[in-house]
Amino acid sequence: QVQLVESGGGLVQAGGSLRLSCAASGSILSINVMNWHRQAPGKQRELVAGITSGGRTNYADSVKDRFTISRDNAKNTVYLQMNSLKPEDTAVYYCNVEGVSTTFRRFGTWGQGIQVTVSS
């Protein structure tokens, strides 16, 4: 089994910054893609940013030039640096990791979610 532990959320004023972390542990052979999604009240969950094992990144248009995703492969950890935060960034943020387990099975695991609230 693979577990994800997210941290770093909280309340911040508009224009401020937060850094989210998501650490994966368990029966991990390799991790391919690490993503951050978010879900605001009354809205569908959306992909915010993703990063491959090779470091290729992609971002939602709404966060480009403000958010940066990175990963530490040695620690099986993905980060999301969020700058110039806006009230519309308020949401529960979820980490999602896809990879291969030590039993050579593909896995896809979600974190429990972490609240980010941006006040105006």
Side-chain angles (χ1 to χ4, degrees):
Q1 290 185 343
V2 176
Q3 299 82 36
L4 302 180
V5 177
E6 299 153 333
S7 61
L11 173 65
V12 64
Q13 288 187 334
S17 298
L18 283 174
R19 188 191 194 208
L20 304 182
S21 300
C22 172
S25 63
S27 304
I28 299 170
L29 179 64
S30 64
I31 294 177
N32 299 327
V33 180
M34 307 183 87
N35 301 309
W36 286 99
H37 297 250
R38 68 185 180 187
Q39 187 166 19
K43 294 188 177 181
Q44 289 189 334
R45 190 173 297 188
E46 63 173 350
L47 177 65
V48 176
I51 185 167
T52 68
S53 57
R56 186 170 61 190
T57 59
N58 64 286
Y59 296 92
D61 288 342
S62 59
V63 306
K64 280 181 181 177
D65 300 324
R66 298 189 298 121
F67 291 10
T68 301
I69 190 170
S70 60
R71 63 190 280 175
D72 184 332
N73 292 328
K75 296 181 179 179
N76 288 335
T77 300
V78 62
Y79 306 95
L80 186 68
Q81 178 67 43
M82 305 185 292
N83 299 328
S84 302
L85 282 161
K86 304 175 180 179
E88 50 264 44
D89 294 317
T90 295
V92 177
Y93 284 70
Y94 297 90
C95 175
N96 163 242
V97 171
E98 299 175 3
V100 179
S101 72
T102 53
T103 58
F104 302 100
R105 293 184 177 181
R106 294 184 181 272
F107 67 84
T109 302
W110 289 83
Q112 77 282 3
I114 190 165
Q115 180 69 45
V116 171
T117 303
V118 184
S119 63
S120 57

